[in-house]
Amino acid sequence: MTLHVVGAGLAGLACALDAADAGLDVVVHEGAKQAGGRCRSFEDAATGRQVDNGTHVVLGGNRATRRYLRRIGAETALCPLPLIQTVADLVTGRRWTPSLPGMVAAVASSLWNLGLDDRGTVFERLGAASHYRLLWEPMATASLNTDARAGSAALFRAVLRESVWRGPAAARMHVSGKTLSATFVEPALRALAARGARIGLGRVLRRIEMRAGAATELVFDSDSVVLGRNDMVVLALPWWADARLIGTPELPDSPIVNAHFRAAAMPDSLADGQALGILGGTAQWVFRRGDVLSVTVSAAAQLVEADSDAISEMLWNDLRRALDLRGAPVAARIVKEKRATLLHTPETESRRPATRLGDNLFLAGDWTATGLPCTIEGAIRSGRAAATEAARVAEGAA
């Protein structure tokens, strides 16, 4: 009895770990040459640094992510950011850190407004709030990767319920102290190897043979795997890959644009390992790691098709104004994630599929019906859910 996990992003890795811990024989197949999926790091020739595809934030309330990191021995790899982030408003020229009493009042307001009715969009529920432009709009855009005018209020409520509504510790943001790969991927691969799981890279799945509601064969580029009567498959792939393979719903996506700038001189106003929110420009968040400033632009549909040089100039100009920088960057790298996440509208939420797909076929991925946006936490929860379903089936077949 073997569980084949197709895809070694965080959903696939989390699934494989839980399944191996449950005693299943696990084989992981990954089409790329490295594991990690959208949570990856690479040596960048332009900046001469190892950078992440983008900065991923983990909240203190992300319990599944915390458990995953403990399981792989990386629980100390995350670094906390200040509880309340400093914000630079390029429209007014103001730079400030919101007060804690003001934040408490804003949280209470959101609890009231979304508690009454979380149907519709974030703007429809919170657009009239006094803190909307300064707090809820940028928070919703970042957490949903969807413009707040279209983003699902119910999904944003789920984010708030597990973070700011649970108190300061749950609301605090954390970032990887090293790289995404060093934090989330490499320790997981070592943990899987220690459990006897087999991992194959560069194995692109081309077709799944099905018969009477069950998967019977996995056809890869170079070979195929005929499934035994009790073998099972978890597809931990992006939604567009599953739509091509097995006809799952075509879902709308939303891009993210990230930029990494190596600067000759670092700003005194942004310490190493810290972040700054930016309003009124194109850049939304900037994180500093050493001599690299990393910028994130969520819900970037209007930006992603632009020329990379133009994007670089646009974002660097925002940084110059927000951080009082001089001159040009030493080097820059633009990373476009054209299908970074789902477009999290209320209509999209109604179409996200469940974990169980067939007699021996399961889905995992942050895009499935996790009740959360497409995030690290959602990916890990989906993988664990698929492993739980597979273990239940295996127990019934034993």
Side-chain angles (χ1 to χ4, degrees):
M1 183 180 296
T2 299
L3 177 66
H4 294 270
V5 180
V6 183
L10 290 191
L13 293 175
C15 176
L17 278 166
D18 270 24
D21 287 345
L24 297 182
D25 179 39
V26 175
V27 181
V28 180
H29 310 270
E30 167 57 47
K33 296 298 184 182
Q34 71 177 82
R38 285 165 287 154
C39 184
R40 67 185 185 277
S41 311
F42 60 95
E43 293 289 342
D44 176 43
T47 60
R49 301 289 185 267
Q50 188 174 55
V51 299
D52 299 327
N53 67 315
T55 302
H56 291 242
V57 170
V58 174
L59 298 174
N62 290 161
R63 290 167 289 181
T65 302
R66 295 286 188 175
R67 180 188 182 280
Y68 172 87
L69 291 173
R70 287 195 300 271
R71 171 63 184 85
I72 63 176
E75 62 270 29
T76 63
L78 293 180
C79 296
L81 297 174
L83 178 61
I84 301 177
Q85 297 300 305
T86 301
V87 178
D89 191 336
L90 302 185
V91 174
T92 64
R94 182 184 175 203
R95 181 188 176 99
W96 84 103
T97 302
S99 69
L100 186 58
M103 286 291 292
V104 171
V107 169
S109 172
S110 75
L111 179 62
W112 172 255
N113 287 325
L114 287 174
L116 288 174
D117 187 355
D118 65 4
R119 292 173 296 179
T121 70
V122 174
F123 179 76
E124 289 169 345
R125 300 277 72 79
L126 294 173
S130 59
H131 294 84
Y132 177 74
R133 177 179 176 270
L134 302 182
L135 180 63
W136 299 130
E137 182 179 32
M139 182 182 289
T141 301
S143 59
L144 304 182
N145 191 35
T146 301
D147 189 295
R149 291 169 294 183
S152 165
L155 200 57
F156 189 48
R157 176 181 181 169
V159 174
L160 297 179
R161 185 178 61 239
E162 300 199 6
S163 56
V164 298
W165 291 357
R166 290 178 52 208
R172 188 181 293 273
M173 298 193 299
H174 300 71
V175 295
S176 172
K178 296 180 180 179
T179 65
L180 293 176
S181 292
T183 299
F184 292 97
V185 182
E186 293 161 8
L189 295 176
R190 291 193 292 269
L192 284 169
R195 291 293 300 183
R198 291 159 285 167
I199 302 167
L201 302 177
R203 291 178 57 76
V204 179
L205 182 63
R206 295 300 184 188
R207 193 170 73 254
I208 302 176
E209 297 293 343
M210 302 285 296
R211 183 179 303 120
T216 59
E217 184 179 4
L218 302 177
V219 182
F220 296 93
D221 271 350
S222 57
D223 65 345
S224 64
V225 176
V226 177
L227 302 173
R229 189 167 66 90
N230 292 324
D231 290 346
M232 294 172 288
V233 177
V234 173
L235 294 180
L237 298 171
W239 59 94
W240 65 87
D242 280 351
R244 173 180 58 83
L245 285 166
I246 54 175
T248 49
E250 291 279 359
L251 298 171
D253 47 59
S254 182
I256 293 176
V257 171
N258 295 284
H260 302 286
F261 297 102
R262 185 156 67 88
M266 284 289 106
D268 294 333
S269 58
L270 187 62
D272 193 9
Q274 299 302 303
L276 174 72
I278 300 176
L279 297 177
T282 302
Q284 296 165 355
W285 291 94
V286 56
F287 300 82
R288 176 182 169 186
R289 178 177 287 149
D291 63 351
V292 174
L293 297 170
S294 297
V295 177
T296 297
V297 183
S298 299
Q302 296 183 345
L303 183 68
V304 71
E305 298 300 336
D307 176 77
S308 291
D309 289 340
I311 294 174
S312 178
E313 181 178 1
M314 199 181 309
L315 297 180
W316 182 254
N317 283 337
D318 283 351
L319 294 191
R320 290 177 63 183
R321 296 169 62 193
L323 297 172
D324 195 26
L325 297 172
R326 298 289 184 267
V330 174
R333 166 67 65 187
I334 302 298
V335 181
K336 299 178 179 181
E337 295 279 354
K338 293 189 176 183
R339 287 176 156 177
T341 72
L342 295 179
L343 183 69
H344 287 300
T345 65
E347 196 276 334
T348 301
E349 286 309 295
S350 68
R351 299 172 57 201
R352 294 169 73 177
T355 301
R356 185 75 178 266
L357 192 64
D359 292 343
N360 65 345
L361 186 61
F362 311 91
L363 295 179
D366 58 8
W367 59 279
T368 59
T370 65
L372 292 174
C374 294
T375 56
I376 286 176
E377 178 73 3
I380 291 172
R381 287 194 191 184
S382 76
R384 297 199 65 205
T388 298
E389 288 285 334
R392 185 178 295 121
V393 171
E395 183 178 357

